């Protein structure tokens, strides 16, 4: 089942994608894709619906982030062995956890703004875990019961601010528009093995990243359990699980984004995103 939110920014409505790729409105069933709607019971209820009985959404509306009410936008750093190698970093012994500002969250095809004075804005295609039931100090064996589904995330990053400006990574990760998420939430039952998903990112039609979740150091079960011991995870929270090699920072010489470019990225079974990069304006 593919669940989504559509409409103008800040006024999105819940929807479902039917077998023909048509958006069906869920507003008469749930107020939004948040809270109880994302729980195991809520997802089970949505699965009983006949999509063709729901109102058809005409045209091609903007897609927003596929979840609402997020409390925590958690990211994992250096979680692919081959990506760690390209950056010259050692393999982490434990997951590297940082938080992305909730203000970074945006729709999958919204513009990405190159921040004022940025010179090293970069791309990162990532598998995002979407939490369905509250997770607090859960075991790895129980972790998957707290997962509503998965989505594509672009963990856009400003490398100078992340690495060269001192302190934590957060300052290079939380800029407005730095968290495109979607196009939809694919429920966990449709992704039997999240550790075997091909993923890619193109910039201006050139393949930059061509990887697989098979090379993740810490898998989905481990990450949900691990993070839940430090941060209570709530319905709609996201854990973005790291990126494969091919980021701009790892190129020789490094390559970074500028205004007027196009990023196109996707993960097998989860859909694709396209963002135009635009210059900062007051």
């Amino acid at each position: 089942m593919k669940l989504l939110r559509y409409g103008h920014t800040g006024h999105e409505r819940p929807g479902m994608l039917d077998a023909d790729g048509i958006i069906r409105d869920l507003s008469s069933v749930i107020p939004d894709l948040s809270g109880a709607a994302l729980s195991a019971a809520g997802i089970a209820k949505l699965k009983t619906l006949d999509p063709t009985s729901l109102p058809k959404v005409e045209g091609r509306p903007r897609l927003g982030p596929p979840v609402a009410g997020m409390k925590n936008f958690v990211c994992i750093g250096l979680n692919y062995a081959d990506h760690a190698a390209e950056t010259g970093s050692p393999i982490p012994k434990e997951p590297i956890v940082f938080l992305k500002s909730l203000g970074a969250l945006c729709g999958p095809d919204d513009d990405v703004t190159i921040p004022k004075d940025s010179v090293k804005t970069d791309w990162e295609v990532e598998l995002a875990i979407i939490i369905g039931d509250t997770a607090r100090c859960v075991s790895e064996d129980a972790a998957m019961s707290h997962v509503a589904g998965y989505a594509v995330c672009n963990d856009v990053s400003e490398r100078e601010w992340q690495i060269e400006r001192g302190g934590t990574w957060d300052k290079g990760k939380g800029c407005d528009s730095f968290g495109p998420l979607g196009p939809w939430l694919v429920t966990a039952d449709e992704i039997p093995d999240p550790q075997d998903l091909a993923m890619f990112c193109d910039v201006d039609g050139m393949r930059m990243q061509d990887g697989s979740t098979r090379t993740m150091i810490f898998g989905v079960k481990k990450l949900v359990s691990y993070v839940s011991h430090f941060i209570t995870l709530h319905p709609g929270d996201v854990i973005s699980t790291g990126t494969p090699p091919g980021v701009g920072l790892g190129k020789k010489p490094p390559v970074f984004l500028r205004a007027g470019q196009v990023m196109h990225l996707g993960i097998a079974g989860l859909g694709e995103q396209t963002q135009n990069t635009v210059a900062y304006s007051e």
Side-chain angles (χ1 to χ4, degrees):
M1 186 166 55
K2 296 179 175 65
L3 302 172
L4 54 87
R5 298 172 67 247
Y6 70 95
H8 297 297
T9 303
H11 300 280
E12 293 93 345
R13 298 161 65 95
M16 174 187 294
L17 202 69
D18 71 15
D20 296 319
I22 296 169
I23 298 174
R24 300 285 179 162
D25 185 78
L26 279 172
S27 298
S28 63
V29 182
I30 54 173
D32 210 339
L33 284 173
S34 61
L38 296 171
S39 68
I43 295 293
K45 178 181 177 182
L46 293 176
K47 287 179 183 176
T48 66
L49 298 174
D50 176 4
T52 62
S53 69
L54 300 169
K56 182 186 297 186
V57 177
E58 301 295 340
R60 296 176 60 85
R62 168 191 173 268
L63 296 181
V67 290
M70 183 189 299
K71 294 180 182 290
N72 296 294
F73 197 162
V74 182
C75 293
I76 308 299
L78 298 176
N79 193 34
Y80 283 69
D82 36 10
H83 172 55
E86 77 171 342
T87 63
S89 302
I91 301 298
K93 295 180 180 178
E94 293 189 42
I96 296 173
V97 178
F98 61 93
L99 295 175
K100 207 169 181 78
S101 167
L102 297 184
L105 184 66
C106 64
D109 301 323
D110 290 348
D111 290 344
V112 166
T113 298
I114 305 297
K116 181 180 180 181
D117 300 325
S118 166
V119 294
K120 295 183 179 180
T121 297
D122 204 349
W123 56 86
E124 291 191 7
V125 60
E126 303 199 0
L127 171 69
I129 305 165
I130 299 176
I131 299 299
D133 287 281
T134 299
R136 184 184 297 110
C137 296
V138 301
S139 68
E140 290 186 39
D141 288 343
M144 298 306 290
S145 66
H146 296 267
V147 175
Y150 305 95
V152 181
C153 181
N154 188 354
D155 177 21
V156 185
S157 309
E158 213 298 345
R159 302 301 189 187
E160 181 188 20
W161 302 353
Q162 175 191 354
I163 299 168
E164 302 172 37
R165 296 288 296 275
T168 64
W169 288 6
D170 303 62
K171 68 180 71 173
K173 297 284 190 170
C175 302
D176 292 346
S177 76
F178 269 26
L181 186 69
W184 30 73
L185 180 164
V186 180
T187 51
D189 62 296
E190 291 198 6
I191 307 297
D193 185 2
Q195 306 307 148
D196 189 20
L197 301 175
M199 54 207 307
F200 74 91
C201 178
D202 297 341
V203 178
D204 290 343
M206 182 177 295
R207 183 59 46 95
M208 295 296 187
Q209 292 183 276
D210 188 4
S212 169
T213 58
R214 290 192 302 271
T215 66
M216 285 172 64
I217 300 165
F218 305 106
V220 170
K221 290 181 180 180
K222 174 66 175 182
L223 292 176
V224 173
S225 173
Y226 185 88
V227 173
S228 77
H229 281 76
F230 303 97
I231 301 170
T232 297
L233 298 169
H234 300 272
D237 282 356
V238 163
I239 303 175
S240 199
T241 59
T243 197
V247 299
L249 177 66
K251 302 296 183 185
K252 301 187 187 308
V255 178
F256 298 109
L257 294 165
R258 61 186 186 278
Q261 294 188 283
V262 179
M263 291 181 282
H264 180 64
L265 54 148
I267 299 178
L270 301 181
E272 300 181 4
Q273 308 178 345
T274 301
Q275 298 107 29
N276 296 311
T277 58
V278 299
Y280 173 87
S281 61
E282 299 288 350

